[in-house]
Amino acid sequence: RHSGPAPRDARAVAECRALWITANSKMGFKVAVIYYSRRGRLVTLANVIAEGVRQVEGAEVTVYRIRDPVLGDAPGTFDEGVLDAPVATPEVIMQSDCVIIGGPGRQGRMCAEVSYFFDSLTEFQTNGCLLKGKVGSAFTSVGGVGRGYGGHEAILQSFHGFFLQHGMIPVGVPPSSVMEDAHMASPFGVCMTGKPNDKAGSRLRSLSESEVKLAYSQGEWASIITKQLHDDGD
């Protein structure tokens, strides 16, 4: 078990706050879609969510990845495409108006890599709740050997718990009839599951039509709410 990241000093926190004030003074709003993945299952999901975000005027969205705190970017450890996105940092979180973050579930709980990343943001809470008012949204995946099965709503709620601890505004998936056709559909966030069904030998799994619609809807809904909050604050 990791002992957690070293605390950030007051100067670094102050610099992040200054960056946020500068970013907020400009037109438009920033959305960070962030994933942790080793096998690429969540990369496609993150990009579909980002496409939903882009449908709202003024949205500036970037897809990021969480760097593995132990493995780093070790060659051969991650599937193709996983390391293509830039690395998420506390500064990225501070500069964003909306953070949509996801990682795989592990035995019914949030994976350790995402939890470690959240721990790196602790100073934002202890130095004045600096993330207060930002929108937060979550996505995950379950299923597969070593991952455990089910428990996705508990996992998504643990993400929401982080958002609430920082004074953020949790946003999920707006309910719709599409949810009737997606096995793991939940208003707490999109979840993908199941074994691979792509080309032979691939460990990736395509999103179903329903999952695509829900992911797109989640990104768009989070973006709509962020825009409303951002415009009201101008």
Side-chain angles (χ1 to χ4, degrees):
R1 178 169 179 170
H2 306 305
S3 60
R8 297 173 55 81
D9 58 34
R11 175 179 288 184
V13 172
E15 290 174 352
C16 285
R17 184 171 180 82
L19 287 170
W20 178 80
I21 292 172
T22 301
N24 249 5
S25 66
K26 300 178 180 179
M27 294 292 290
F29 56 96
K30 292 187 176 182
V31 180
V33 180
I34 304 171
Y35 65 83
Y36 174 78
S37 181
R38 289 181 63 186
R39 302 308 176 204
R41 300 181 73 208
L42 292 175
V43 177
T44 300
L45 184 56
N47 281 290
V48 173
I49 291 173
E51 281 303 309
V53 171
R54 292 188 180 98
Q55 302 313 301
V56 179
E57 184 179 3
E60 301 173 16
V61 59
T62 305
V63 177
Y64 297 91
R65 64 182 172 90
I66 292 175
R67 189 172 187 267
D68 193 297
V70 175
L71 300 174
D73 296 339
T77 303
F78 300 89
D79 279 5
E80 182 179 357
V82 171
L83 301 180
D84 291 347
V87 175
T89 64
E91 289 76 17
V92 166
I93 302 297
M94 195 66 209
Q95 293 180 56
S96 300
D97 299 289
C98 173
V99 177
I100 306 174
I101 186 166
R106 300 274 173 76
Q107 304 298 326
R109 64 184 185 275
M110 180 192 302
C111 70
E113 293 82 3
V114 173
S115 180
Y116 186 92
F117 179 73
F118 281 164
D119 286 345
S120 74
L121 308 177
T122 301
E123 288 294 312
F124 289 148
Q125 183 191 53
T126 58
N127 285 276
C129 206
L130 302 182
L131 304 184
K132 181 171 61 178
K134 296 181 185 293
V135 170
S137 196
F139 57 98
T140 191
S141 65
V142 296
V145 177
R147 296 172 183 260
Y149 300 89
H152 59 295
E153 287 201 328
I155 296 166
L156 292 166
Q157 287 180 66
S158 68
F159 280 86
H160 288 204
F162 168 83
F163 301 146
L164 292 168
Q165 288 287 344
H166 284 265
M168 299 173 69
I169 303 168
V171 172
V173 182
S176 71
S177 59
V178 177
M179 289 184 168
E180 298 177 9
D181 299 319
H183 297 300
M184 307 296 281
S186 168
F188 292 105
V190 174
C191 176
M192 64 180 298
T193 187
K195 58 186 179 181
N197 61 5
D198 284 344
K199 61 184 180 180
S202 173
R203 289 174 290 190
L204 302 181
R205 186 184 75 76
S206 300
L207 294 173
S208 69
E209 181 179 353
S210 296
E211 288 170 337
V212 169
K213 290 179 179 179
L214 292 174
Y216 190 93
S217 176
Q218 179 173 351
E220 184 177 33
W221 183 233
S223 191
I224 288 172
I225 294 176
T226 304
K227 178 178 174 61
Q228 291 175 344
L229 293 170
H230 185 273
D231 290 350
D232 288 345
D234 288 343

